[in-house]
Amino acid sequence: MTETAPDHSADDETPPLTMFSPDFPFSYDHFLDSAEGLGRVPEEVRGTEVAVVGAGLAGTVAAYELMKMGLKPVIHEAGEIGGRLKSQAFDGAPDCVVDLGGMRFPTTGRAFYHYVDLLGLETREFPNPLSPATPSTVIDLADEGEPTYAETEDQLPAFYREVAEAWKQALRDEAELDAVQDAIRRRDAVELKRLWNELVARFDDESFYGFISGSEAFRKLSWKHIETFGQVGFGSGGWDTDFPNSVLEVLRVVFTDADDDHHGIVGGAQRLPESLWRHAPDDIVHWPTGTSLESLHRGAPRGAVTGIHRGIEGGVTITEKWGRTVEYAAAVVTCQSWLLSTRIDTDEELFSPRMWNAIEKSHYMLSSKTFVMVDRPFWRDTDPQTGRDAMSMTLTDRLPRATYLLDEGPDKPAAILLSYTWNDDALKWLPLDADERTRLMLHSLHKIYPHLDIGRHIIGQPITVSWEADPNFMGAFKNNLPGHYRYQERLFNHFVQRDLPEHQRGIFLAGDDISFTAGWADGAVTTALNAVWGVMDHLGGATSASNPGPGDQWDALKPIALD
């Protein structure tokens, strides 16, 4: 059963949580919804070409909004439109589509859903562990004996409830969860910044594991509680692969409810950037009615970028793979930042040494997924021996780690995400092809479901991805290590260029790895909007006084700078 996009309307008595960033509490959703638009450029610069490197979500959002202002974005893309919002149908089954990258999007991400709603894309609740969209969940841990079966949270054994309560208590005791979320709900930027800035200074050098193990709530319990928390986690599942990362990364997710209430896009997440590419906005300046990014590009983006340099006339030159070089008035670069030093010959003078240091220190997460198509959603059958679902969404400490069941309706082909893993767990799959990955995953799942022959339901060929093996990405998404806040601040702040020397202006970074909320599509959208403001400002434009942009409110809202 499918749903339309989730209702984002606020309850007057209890305002909802949103991804109102504690680092930079700017209301991007209000900015987008204003009838005044995102700003204007002078008439004499309308039609000016601006390069956009990368056609993922950040690139297509930036290009779309620049086009609406009357500029001419020129998108350069090495692969497909969509980037890490990559969807793929199984051969012979065009309606059975799986998401190799982003697949679940928190409903608190208002800027992201602005574009979902604009384009009329249908969404449905994602089947996370124990979510209403998940018929049942099985937790299988090696030293727990029989797997735990539950249809709702209150059916979990007391031990798991102790783990969940310890996590909530740790957040309240150590990180002022209630006060921070109250400030987010009220969009009280002053109070939110006061609370968050204190947490940044306190926890910048703390890992996620250090936060948990050092909390009073978990110190009262056993190490087994900590291990189980890592394997089972909260919201979307186990988080132990994040244990080495900065706890600030996790707090941002929890404070904004980004770990829960996820929806997926029916037909695949890639539909969002592809639809932006084709969409002709009504409120467009300079260009004739019916203009879209697709029509501006005559049907296809420009090719892969191999060089970015300062131009003779002071702009930014983009060199394509086969030698074409064009100088643009400005450039928005949305590819993963590592590519600027590994895959793209980038003029060192475009960024300061401190910026290059931040780019090089980016810490990317490895990620692997393997899907199979099955003849029907057989997991909804009742096991005659147990009276339970034949198969469940599964969390395990075996090789697959997390298995999701993706139902397209009764008697229709369906998909199983056999394994979704990160970091060390993803590295185990890297040398193996799709068939070998599938064989090993089925072997592990058979230990959990000994009376179920999953293989006899599989049709077609498996689909698999290891994002770290793709030279255009080199990882799935960024997650900062302890002590890396300063690097993230430099990357995020770069769109405000008033204090930069002239030779470093005019190139703007965007993408979820530039955002403080790396790994979430809302961060790709918001940094794209930052870059749009930066380009507009660079070309002499301005926002409406009644709808100030992120750069206009910078001095009041900018992230804290650590010494």
Side-chain angles (χ1 to χ4, degrees), residues 103-105 113 122-126 262-266:
M103 64 180 181
R104 50 189 174 187
F105 307 98
Y113 280 101
E122 189 178 20
T123 74
R124 62 179 169 217
E125 189 170 0
F126 189 84
H262 294 162
H263 277 230
I265 295 176
V266 176

Side-chain angles (χ1 to χ4, degrees), residues 243-414:
F243 274 175
N245 296 330
S246 168
V247 70
L248 295 176
E249 300 287 84
V250 178
L251 294 180
R252 292 184 183 100
V253 171
V254 177
F255 287 162
T256 59
D257 252 11
D259 59 303
D260 205 1
D261 193 18
H262 294 162
H263 277 230
I265 295 176
V266 176
Q270 194 169 354
R271 291 185 62 209
L272 178 53
E274 287 179 339
S275 297
L276 274 174
W277 166 257
R278 295 189 297 266
H279 188 258
D282 295 328
D283 51 344
I284 194 168
V285 174
H286 178 70
W287 303 108
T289 301
T291 299
S292 65
L293 292 172
E294 183 179 42
S295 67
L296 280 183
H297 290 77
R298 298 180 181 176
R302 298 297 313 179
V305 172
T306 57
I308 303 176
H309 295 84
R310 178 59 65 191
I312 296 174
E313 298 180 7
V316 179
T317 64
I318 301 294
T319 301
E320 295 179 22
K321 180 178 180 179
W322 302 112
R324 181 179 182 268
T325 299
V326 175
E327 181 171 347
Y328 296 93
V332 178
V333 177
T334 71
C335 59
Q336 309 241 100
S337 57
W338 274 1
L339 299 184
L340 294 175
S341 58
T342 59
R343 296 274 289 171
I344 299 173
D345 178 20
T346 305
D347 189 346
E348 286 196 13
E349 296 298 316
L350 289 172
F351 301 106
S352 70
R354 283 169 54 83
M355 272 292 291
W356 278 115
N357 189 231
I359 289 169
E360 294 292 346
K361 289 292 185 179
S362 296
H363 172 245
Y364 286 100
M365 298 276 284
L366 291 70
S367 180
S368 173
K369 289 181 178 180
T370 299
F371 297 86
V372 291
M373 180 169 59
V374 292
D375 51 7
R376 63 183 181 85
F378 63 86
W379 46 83
R380 292 187 178 273
D381 296 347
T382 299
D383 185 331
Q385 297 188 23
T386 65
R388 299 172 174 174
D389 293 337
M391 186 178 176
S392 306
M393 187 281 148
T394 306
L395 298 173
T396 179
D397 53 5
R398 301 177 192 271
L399 280 172
R401 291 305 308 268
T403 299
Y404 297 85
L405 308 176
L406 308 173
D407 192 339
E408 295 298 331
D411 300 320
K412 292 183 179 180

Side-chain angles (χ1 to χ4, degrees), residues 64 78 81 134 205 238 334 380 392 468 490 501 514-515 529 549:
Y64 181 83
I81 292 172
T134 304
D205 59 354
T334 71
R380 292 187 178 273
S392 306
E468 58 277 6
R490 293 174 204 168
I514 305 304
S515 166
L529 297 175

Side-chain angles (χ1 to χ4, degrees), residues 545-560:
S546 62
N547 191 36
D552 303 310
Q553 297 192 354
W554 182 250
D555 289 337
L557 302 179
K558 64 184 177 183
I560 184 176

